[in-house]
Amino acid sequence: MNLTVRQLRYVCEVARLGSVLAASKSLYISQSSILAAITLAEAEMGARIFDRRPARGVSITPAGQRFVAAARVMLAAETEFNRSIGDLSGRVPKVLRIGCFEPFGALFMPEMLRSYIDSVGDVEIDLVEADQVQLQERLVAGQIDLAILYDIGPIGIDSVTRICKVPAHAVLNADDPLAARDGIWLAELAERPLISICRTPQPIS
């Protein structure tokens, strides 16, 4: 089936709590992500897992009960697998797969990665540069663990953390008289030719 372990967990949590809203709060994810997992699971099964009851949550169908029972076996197996290989973490270097919006590579990543390695110790970093769309696609596919992006346009990711705010800025030639000043007025820039003034979006991960 084209379902991830995470999506199975979403469906099982709805079955346990009897509500998409309650499951959303329990798992700290959006209701839309849970509904998408349910829709995919029902499409894979060819049967409804839940009956929706307006203002009263959901009730599980007989087919849904069989699905959830099988899913819980899978989740229990995953838990046992993670427990069994847990002792390997002390011997094998951890790998953190980071996706980075291409312009950020030279601006932010060296200092960020140095601080991270200093705080956690032995870790292997796999850094991938790509554009906004590609990074989000790789996150959804599980090809990277996190992405450093601009906070611009639709972000189809459940968990977003703002790591810094970059103020609006202008790039001037080093010989320009304005470059030597501590501050300038926007009106002064507006008089210059070939200058584009825009708000810089905020990097997020």
Side-chain angles (χ1 to χ4, degrees), residues 14-146:
V14 173
R16 184 178 74 87
L17 297 175
S19 165
V20 173
L21 177 60
S24 173
K25 292 180 178 179
S26 172
L27 296 169
Y28 299 100
I29 62 167
S30 65
Q31 294 184 59
S32 60
S33 296
I34 295 179
L35 290 171
I38 293 174
T39 299
L40 179 59
E42 290 179 337
E44 289 284 338
M45 281 188 60
R48 296 189 68 82
I49 296 177
F50 299 106
D51 287 326
R52 279 69 166 178
R53 302 175 301 175
R56 292 188 299 156
V58 299
S59 61
I60 192 166
T61 66
Q65 290 176 341
R66 294 193 296 273
F67 178 91
V68 169
R72 284 172 176 160
V73 172
M74 178 71 74
L75 295 176
E78 186 215 15
T79 300
E80 177 60 23
F81 175 79
N82 290 335
R83 186 197 64 78
S84 298
I85 67 170
D87 63 331
L88 295 177
S89 62
R91 300 194 299 269
V92 180
K94 299 176 182 178
V95 178
L96 180 62
R97 301 168 300 173
I98 301 177
C100 175
F101 184 44
E102 290 173 320
F104 291 162
L107 293 176
F108 297 104
M109 298 312 297
E111 183 177 351
M112 288 178 59
L113 294 180
R114 188 180 305 110
S115 298
Y116 178 76
I117 292 173
D118 289 343
S119 64
V120 302
D122 187 21
V123 62
E124 180 180 343
I125 303 293
D126 184 6
L127 184 63
V128 177
E129 291 186 320
D131 61 31
Q132 297 266 121
V133 175
Q134 292 170 332
L135 290 175
Q136 292 194 58
E137 290 175 348
R138 293 184 181 187
L139 271 177
V140 173
Q143 297 173 351
I144 55 177
D145 301 307
L146 61 93

